[in-house]
Amino acid sequence: MKEDTEDLGDGEECEQRIHAVLGDSSERSFENAERYRLHLRQALKLPLIVTGREDFPWEEKYVFGGWSQAEYKRLKKTQPSFEDTFELLDLLEPNEDDDVTAQIRRTSDGRTFEIGLSWLTPKNRKSAAFGLLDDYASWHAN
């Protein structure tokens, strides 16, 4: 864990926080994603400055090599990149992957996008929002 990250505790503490949101049934499902969305809408102060947790799905082939870096640079002008900074504007219904849909606006050009919330993390790693979104991403991944 990075030094500037707030101490979120161990995996068991994370599971306890997730259990506090979802109750006994914590499997990944549309219903639990919606339950998490409602919880986060109350707990987060929007807009929130966020960035990518890791490369977004469309970027993987460019980040890990083999694909044209010139094309990647061109596509980053019209696609959201994990390297960009965004304002998290709203939390919309879960998508087909049972991931809450995040409505975001890129700060550099004002373009808006929708992406799974599990791909995002607050820029301020010491904020309470960091812990909330980190727990959510852990739930979604596991």
Side-chain angles (χ1 to χ4, degrees), residues 25-106:
S25 175
S26 63
E27 74 272 352
R28 198 165 97 183
S29 66
F30 179 89
E31 292 77 17
N32 278 341
E34 178 63 11
R35 197 172 286 122
Y36 230 123
R37 179 181 79 89
L38 295 174
H39 168 73
L40 291 172
R41 278 188 126 182
Q42 290 183 344
L44 294 172
K45 183 176 172 42
L46 301 180
L48 174 67
I49 302 300
V50 296
T51 191
R53 180 174 297 281
E54 59 183 86
D55 53 292
F56 293 161
W58 76 269
E59 294 179 287
E60 188 171 314
K61 59 190 175 189
Y62 300 101
V63 172
F64 289 107
W67 290 73
S68 167
Q69 290 303 298
E71 179 182 35
Y72 181 43
K73 186 176 179 179
R74 181 181 56 77
L75 288 172
K76 285 171 64 172
K77 293 177 183 176
T78 59
Q79 298 291 322
S81 172
F82 77 106
E83 297 175 320
D84 292 333
T85 298
F86 306 95
E87 289 179 300
L88 174 58
L89 302 173
D90 201 2
L91 302 174
L92 309 174
E93 281 195 1
N95 62 28
E96 64 277 356
D97 294 324
D98 300 325
D99 195 356
V100 171
T101 302
Q103 182 182 44
I104 56 176
R105 179 175 45 230
R106 187 164 43 204

